[in-house]
Amino acid sequence: MSPRTLLRAVMAISAVALLAACNASAKDPAARNAAGPALVLITPSPVGVNDFLKLAVQGIEDSAKKHNGTQKVFQSTDPASIQQNLSAAVREKPAVAVAVGFNFADAIAAEAERNPEQKFLFVDSCTTKPFPNVTCAVFREHEGSYLAGAEAGLLSKTGKVGAVVVLDAPQFHRYSIPFGQGAAKAKPGTTLAPLFIGGANPFNDPARAKALAGTLAGQGVDQVMGAASAAGNLGVFEAAKQGGFFAFGVDANQCPASPGQVVDNVVKRTNVVIGDGVDAILGGKTGETKSYGVKERGISLTGLEPDAPTSQCVVASHPDVLAKVGELRDQIISGAIVVDDPAKS
């Protein structure tokens, strides 16, 4: 055997040994920090540029740090991998398995029934049947959409607002119907025009989202709610920049993606919800469903947060609008205004 061949053989053996060692340390319970709980997060799709999932990762990391434990993230790519990743997470027997997104409903129900000792935190949805080992955390997105709509109504020059939404389904109507209601509340007579992406890949179709936003602009709409997922909203923002109208983002501060065109964002504080849920489960409270809205600070607008001046959001330069929307927020918190949930109507 030549020296070069021998060297290659040694390197190959070393690489296999190193890989085996890495896999062992990831799966071996003894390799975990025994001082705290093991937490696992399973996402419905790759985290990538998805701000909603980025906040979820931040939430699991913050919880692991708070409880001096460990955390791991399984990123799914399709329905089959959702089931596979959830099963893989359960096999690791973490203190809490956290799943984010309505896509997990059937899979969590099946795993919860098969593994009654495993504790689950289901974020952004809940199983149809309640389970004592499944804790659910859901959002009242319609409250944030209502406030964003009020901003749109106050800023609109045409009296026409619109929405580009991933699917024509009750859960996603929370981003369109209340948006129009908030706009009409702030400026009576304002009308709403919603359009839905649909198709085979509604959550990752920026071209379709851009085209729909352009259609709304052609109808005189000058304020558009973009509830088209992270990729889709980039299409909405691009259309807004080219068409000279304004857009709204979701989940996190998306204003830096298109400064001067994104008015504000309906923020879903996934990190806060995960931290809250993990604390409850580790504290012995399981099987409950908690709803997070404006009052619980699970839902907010970037423009109403302390860092609004540096957010790059258009609304930051309209203090009069923020003052009026802040009053509406306070009325929601006090119960003087109740925003109807389209998903329950």
Side-chain angles (χ1 to χ4, degrees):
M1 179 181 292
S2 69
R4 178 175 294 182
T5 303
L6 179 60
L7 177 60
R8 287 176 177 170
V10 171
M11 290 176 65
I13 292 171
S14 298
V16 171
L18 179 60
L19 179 61
C22 289
N23 287 340
S25 65
K27 297 181 179 180
D28 183 3
R32 290 176 175 155
N33 183 353
L39 308 175
V40 175
L41 170 69
I42 311 99
T43 69
S45 57
V47 176
V49 297
N50 190 315
D51 293 315
F52 180 64
L53 297 181
K54 284 182 181 179
L55 285 175
V57 173
Q58 180 185 327
I60 204 75
E61 290 176 346
D62 290 346
S63 290
K65 184 177 181 180
K66 177 179 180 179
H67 295 282
N68 195 28
T70 60
Q71 58 83 25
K72 184 180 291 187
V73 179
F74 288 82
Q75 301 185 49
S76 308
T77 55
D78 51 42
S81 64
I82 284 176
Q83 177 63 65
Q84 293 165 1
N85 283 338
L86 187 61
S87 297
V90 170
R91 286 196 296 272
E92 297 204 4
K93 298 182 179 180
V96 185
V98 183
V100 180
F102 69 97
N103 324 58
F104 284 94
D106 293 338
I108 283 186
E111 291 290 348
E113 195 159 15
R114 283 195 294 262
N115 303 277
E117 299 303 315
Q118 176 62 59
K119 303 298 189 295
F120 296 90
L121 174 60
F122 191 9
V123 178
D124 206 27
S125 189
C126 199
T127 54
T128 303
K129 172 186 173 182
F131 293 91
N133 56 331
V134 178
T135 299
C136 297
V138 296
F139 293 97
R140 300 196 299 278
E141 299 96 337
H142 46 290
E143 294 180 354
S145 298
Y146 181 91
L147 293 176
E151 290 181 343
L154 292 169
L155 293 171
S156 176
K157 297 184 182 305
T158 64
K160 297 179 180 180
V161 302
V164 174
V165 187
V166 285
L167 292 170
D168 187 2
Q171 178 177 349
F172 299 103
H173 290 170
R174 288 173 171 168
Y175 289 101
S176 54
I177 295 174
F179 187 73
Q181 292 172 337
K185 172 71 174 180
K187 186 180 290 184
T190 304
T191 60
L192 169 74
L195 292 177
F196 302 91
I197 297 174
N201 196 18
F203 292 90
N204 190 26
D205 195 344
R208 172 72 170 160
K210 180 180 178 180
L212 293 178
T215 296
L216 291 175
Q219 298 172 358
V221 171
D222 63 351
Q223 306 283 327
V224 177
M225 163 58 74
S229 80
N233 266 11
L234 293 178
V236 174
F237 299 162
E238 187 176 347
K241 186 175 181 178
Q242 293 177 359
F245 61 92
F246 296 93
F248 287 76
V250 293
D251 297 338
N253 180 18
Q254 296 186 309
C255 295
S258 188
Q261 299 301 143
V262 183
V263 177
D264 208 341
N265 312 274
V266 177
V267 178
K268 293 170 71 172
R269 298 181 176 279
T270 328
N271 54 328
V272 172
V273 167
I274 287 178
D276 226 19
V278 169
D279 286 350
I281 293 170
L282 295 180
K285 293 182 180 179
T286 62
E288 300 178 347
T289 297
K290 185 172 180 179
S291 176
Y292 291 83
V294 172
K295 184 176 182 179
E296 297 80 11
R297 292 190 58 75
I299 295 290
S300 184
L301 297 183
T302 303
L304 296 177
E305 293 301 301
D307 59 353
T310 60
S311 66
Q312 301 185 57
C313 293
V314 172
V315 76
S317 60
H318 294 273
D320 55 330
V321 171
L322 288 175
K324 293 177 182 178
V325 173
E327 292 174 1
L328 293 175
R329 173 200 57 193
D330 294 342
Q331 291 179 55
I332 292 175
I333 292 174
S334 70
I337 291 179
V338 178
V339 184
D340 293 332
D341 183 356
K344 295 182 179 179
S345 60

